[in-house]
Amino acid sequence: MRHLIDIKDLSVQEIDGLIQCAEDIIKDPLKYAQVCRGKKLAILFFEPSTRTRLSFEAAMLDLGGSVLGFSSAETSSASKGESVSDTTRVVGCYADIIAMRHPKEGAPLAAAMKSYVPIINAGDGGHNHPTQTLTDLLTIKTEKGRLDSFTIGFCGDLKFGRTVHSLISALSRYKNIKYVFISPPELKLPDYIKTDVLDALGLEYTEIERMDEVLPELDILYMTRVQKERFFNEADYIRLKDTYIFNEEKLKLAKDDLSILHPLPRVNEISPSIDDDKRACYFRQARNGKFIRMALIMKLLEVSV
Ligand code: NCD
């Protein structure tokens, strides 16, 4: 039985296979409409979500399966004090696969250790978010036609942004990528990612504070929201939340074929006035999320067309 807790649980070949499968689903969705008939996906979300939860649900429904679960800790027995691993063990009696989001780093891993069914980490605290990474990789592949040889800028909350952490870990296995990390000093990438991922592999990266200096060099810009819910102090959040606002002025500095990604939700960091520019990929990215999750559910349930 396989789980997806960390993006590195998948080999590069498996990731490429999932991307290919998602591309095939996009071309011919009807072929996949019944492959999970009789199977159930449980959604255990202890933290808010729109895209991840609904794209998981839509993915299972489009595969012909069904969905059950809860979307907040308050409506589950967690509010009575039940442990995550007990909840998971019980839900494994009712469902064939589980997608879990939790505010505590490591909770899906703890759940997987006791689970009888595959567990998918749908975001654990400020740590990892591997299915967003699969979505991001599918988006880069469809927008750029490749997963290597580009300069990518990550901008915003690189400290708490779990999508950033997982995407760096995934990209570190592809060739010829330059990384630029744009953030205020307080929201810099955690040291463990620099030492364990980037330095360990001898990858080239720069850390800067101002976006304008590097914008003309970027092929991909990965914008992120300042993660309000992970701050200890509201005053710090208010001071930092609008550090970067990507708007039409900034767009003028960018390459014609820049791809702007954002896992969403956005707050102020991208002005809606650029949404219709062809370089704004974030709504196409959200759409991709359903297709790659369909491919992942099929893989973990070991079903095929
Ligand atoms: C992200 C998350 O939950 O980490 N959202 C998502 O899953 N698309 C990013 C965020 O909340 O800022």
Side-chain angles (χ1 to χ4, degrees), residues 151 153 180 182 206 208 210-218 253:
T151 301
V180 185
I182 311 155
T206 44
I208 56 163
R210 281 176 45 83
M211 182 196 276
D212 294 14
E213 304 164 19
V214 290
L215 256 181
E217 292 161 33
L218 301 183
L253 304 171

Side-chain angles (χ1 to χ4, degrees), residues 210-228:
R210 281 176 45 83
M211 182 196 276
D212 294 14
E213 304 164 19
V214 290
L215 256 181
E217 292 161 33
L218 301 183
D219 301 301
I220 300 169
L221 172 64
Y222 195 92
M223 286 299 287
T224 62
R225 167 180 78 88
V226 176
Q227 305 279 299
K228 181 180 184 187

Side-chain angles (χ1 to χ4, degrees), residues 28-305:
D28 191 359
L30 281 181
K31 196 165 100 191
Y32 295 84
Q34 298 297 333
V35 291
C36 283
R37 211 191 161 118
K39 303 274 187 199
K40 283 179 270 175
L41 164 72
I43 305 270
L44 309 188
F45 272 41
F46 298 85
E47 225 189 29
S49 170
T50 302
R51 262 150 303 276
T52 306
R53 183 168 64 81
L54 295 181
S55 67
F56 261 117
E57 294 195 15
M60 193 51 160
L61 296 175
D62 285 356
L63 292 169
S66 351
V67 181
L68 65 165
F70 54 81
S71 52
S72 76
E74 294 77 55
T75 57
S76 79
S77 282
S79 64
K80 299 183 187 168
E82 186 171 50
S83 72
V84 172
S85 74
D86 279 5
T87 304
T88 313
R89 242 173 133 144
V90 169
V91 173
C93 305
Y94 314 138
D96 303 284
I97 185 165
I98 293 174
M100 175 184 290
R101 168 169 288 195
H102 203 284
K104 282 216 179 84
E105 286 81 3
L109 174 63
M113 288 159 76
K114 291 283 172 69
S115 178
Y116 301 117
V117 301
I119 302 283
I120 303 172
N121 177 5
D124 62 325
H127 190 216
N128 277 328
H129 194 345
T131 64
Q132 180 63 45
T133 296
L134 292 172
T135 304
D136 300 339
L137 294 174
L138 172 60
T139 306
I140 295 172
K141 176 76 195 313
T142 48
E143 299 292 330
K144 292 278 178 251
R146 61 182 192 279
L147 284 170
D148 53 24
S149 309
F150 50 71
T151 301
I152 180 165
F154 289 88
C155 178
D157 188 345
L158 311 187
K159 180 179 180 186
F160 297 117
R162 56 193 174 193
T163 65
V164 170
H165 306 160
S166 290
L167 183 54
I168 293 170
S169 171
L171 289 177
S172 72
R173 298 192 288 175
Y174 292 88
K175 298 223 167 357
N176 199 20
I177 297 175
K178 285 189 191 156
Y179 302 83
V180 185
F181 302 120
I182 311 155
S183 75
E186 295 91 330
L187 298 179
K188 278 168 81 169
L189 199 64
D191 283 341
Y192 80 89
I193 294 180
K194 285 185 240 166
T195 52
D196 298 358
V197 182
L198 298 162
D199 296 339
L201 294 166
L203 300 175
E204 198 182 318
Y205 66 90
T206 44
E207 292 183 282
I208 56 163
E209 250 184 88
R210 281 176 45 83
M211 182 196 276
D212 294 14
E213 304 164 19
V214 290
L215 256 181
E217 292 161 33
L218 301 183
D219 301 301
I220 300 169
L221 172 64
Y222 195 92
M223 286 299 287
T224 62
R225 167 180 78 88
V226 176
Q227 305 279 299
K228 181 180 184 187
E229 65 276 34
R230 315 249 179 258
F231 278 70
F232 293 112
N233 177 335
E234 199 185 356
D236 286 342
Y237 169 71
I238 290 170
R239 181 168 54 82
L240 293 167
K241 70 185 174 71
D242 291 329
T243 313
Y244 304 103
I245 299 183
F246 194 91
N247 54 21
E248 284 155 306
E249 282 302 302
K250 302 273 184 230
L251 205 52
K252 286 188 194 136
L253 304 171
K255 285 187 182 174
D256 276 349
D257 65 348
L258 172 72
S259 299
I260 306 165
L261 274 67
H262 190 310
L264 303 178
R266 79 170 143 198
V267 185
N268 280 331
E269 60 280 356
I270 298 182
S271 160
S273 65
I274 70 149
D275 287 355
D276 293 330
D277 192 285
K278 69 176 191 336
R279 288 167 282 188
C281 305
Y282 29 91
F283 291 113
R284 295 195 287 279
Q285 185 183 358
R287 183 171 176 273
N288 287 334
K290 181 184 79 171
F291 299 113
I292 199 79
R293 289 183 173 102
M294 289 171 78
L296 177 67
I297 291 169
M298 285 176 60
K299 181 176 177 62
L300 296 181
L301 286 179
E302 297 177 6
V303 300
S304 48
V305 276

